[in-house]
Amino acid sequence: MDNLFPQPPGEPSFVALGDSFTEGLNDPAPGGGYRGWADRLADLLAVEYPGLRYANLAVQGKVLHEIVAEQVPAAAAMSPGLVSIAAGGNDILRPGANLDGLAELFDSAVVRLRATGCRVLVFTGSDPVGLPVIRLLRGRIGAYNMHLRAIADARGCALVDLWSMRFLRDPAAWAPDRIHLTAQSHQRVALRACEVLGVPVAEDWRVAPAPDAAPSAAAVISNARWAREYLAPWVNRRLHGAIADRSAKRPLLQPVSPPISR
């Protein structure tokens, strides 16, 4: 395996940027807060790269221009070996979102990060075909994904194509809010990222994990109830910017030893 980190030996570092997807919502951490695919990826990287340092600057509800203005400069200042960026999903919800403009902004972020000499890991959006209501955005998500693939290709980035991960089309891959991933799905995304980066792992993301216990009748909610309890408040917060001021869960590069999420 080639060295993933373009840095002197013994100095591997990883910074994750984005919104709730990267913060890890609906994947509870044992000590409180959230775990998520990025924490899980950091654990897996640390096995191959002892001494890995890791920061997660992602914050729930952030739109692309906030991520570019706040998180990208902070990440660049850390001079990490690897930066992941998954952003733009909250923007696509907004009526009249300019996909070409979003792509230009995303590209500017990647250019700034690449200028530091780091490797950049880009994530596309997943295919929402199996999710009620949100699947109405499928065309816009697909179009934005094409921009992201072009950016990754032009700038020499690694790409995790969530759209091609067919298990994410299944509602069972999603938490009850149908907006954030389950813990098992976060793990499979981390494994897929390892595959893209060329990091050996013992598990295959294509192999479905053992199913959880069947949900009780009370846990199975109707589409109408889901839209009232989860979707409407979520969309309203993003349309009106009513997101609580929150800070990153891991704002500084810190060693991943022992593994942070076990």
Side-chain angles (χ1 to χ4, degrees):
M1 180 182 65
D2 294 334
N3 193 338
L4 173 62
F5 297 97
Q7 294 177 304
E11 297 183 5
S13 53
F14 165 43
V15 179
L17 312 180
D19 51 31
S20 60
F21 168 68
T22 301
E23 187 179 359
L25 260 66
N26 283 31
D27 181 8
Y34 298 108
R35 189 179 180 186
W37 69 263
D39 286 14
R40 292 168 179 271
L41 174 59
D43 281 350
L44 293 168
L45 292 175
V47 174
E48 292 297 317
Y49 299 93
L52 176 79
R53 295 176 300 144
Y54 163 58
N56 190 320
L57 308 184
V59 175
Q60 176 187 5
K62 291 295 184 181
V63 292
L64 181 58
H65 77 84
E66 293 173 323
I67 292 167
V68 173
E70 301 164 8
Q71 298 177 25
V72 170
M78 297 179 189
S79 299
L82 173 68
V83 176
S84 69
I85 180 167
N90 288 324
D91 299 82
I92 292 175
L93 282 174
R94 300 188 172 191
N98 181 348
L99 300 183
D100 293 336
L102 290 174
E104 291 178 5
L105 187 57
F106 194 102
D107 185 50
S108 72
V110 170
V111 168
R112 180 164 186 181
L113 293 169
R114 291 288 285 151
T116 69
C118 72
R119 189 169 185 182
V120 175
L121 182 65
V122 172
F123 286 75
T124 72
S126 60
D127 184 354
V129 67
L131 302 176
V133 183
I134 296 176
R135 63 177 168 236
L136 298 175
L137 300 175
R138 193 181 187 213
R140 293 163 70 178
I141 295 170
Y144 185 57
N145 282 352
M146 293 303 293
H147 281 299
L148 298 180
R149 293 187 185 102
I151 292 168
D153 182 62
R155 305 302 180 189
C157 303
L159 179 74
V160 177
D161 186 5
L162 298 180
W163 188 278
S164 69
M165 297 177 72
R166 298 181 67 88
F167 81 91
L168 292 176
R169 301 178 185 179
D170 187 340
W174 300 84
D177 66 6
R178 305 181 190 175
I179 297 167
H180 300 104
L181 297 178
T182 64
Q184 291 183 340
S185 294
H186 275 289
Q187 176 67 5
R188 295 174 76 179
V189 169
L191 293 170
R192 173 63 172 140
C194 282
E195 181 181 82
V196 169
L197 295 171
V199 177
V201 290
E203 301 174 73
D204 187 344
W205 66 267
R206 297 169 186 80
V207 177
D212 293 329
S216 65
V220 179
I221 62 175
S222 67
N223 286 341
R225 179 181 167 191
W226 165 76
R228 181 176 66 253
E229 295 185 4
Y230 292 107
L231 181 64
W234 182 68
V235 171
N236 183 66
R237 287 193 299 269
R238 279 143 187 83
L239 290 178
H240 299 94
I243 303 294
D245 186 18
R246 303 174 68 247
S247 57
K249 68 178 183 180
R250 193 179 174 95
L252 302 175
L253 282 171
Q254 297 175 320
V256 182
S257 179
I260 58 177
S261 58
R262 297 177 185 170

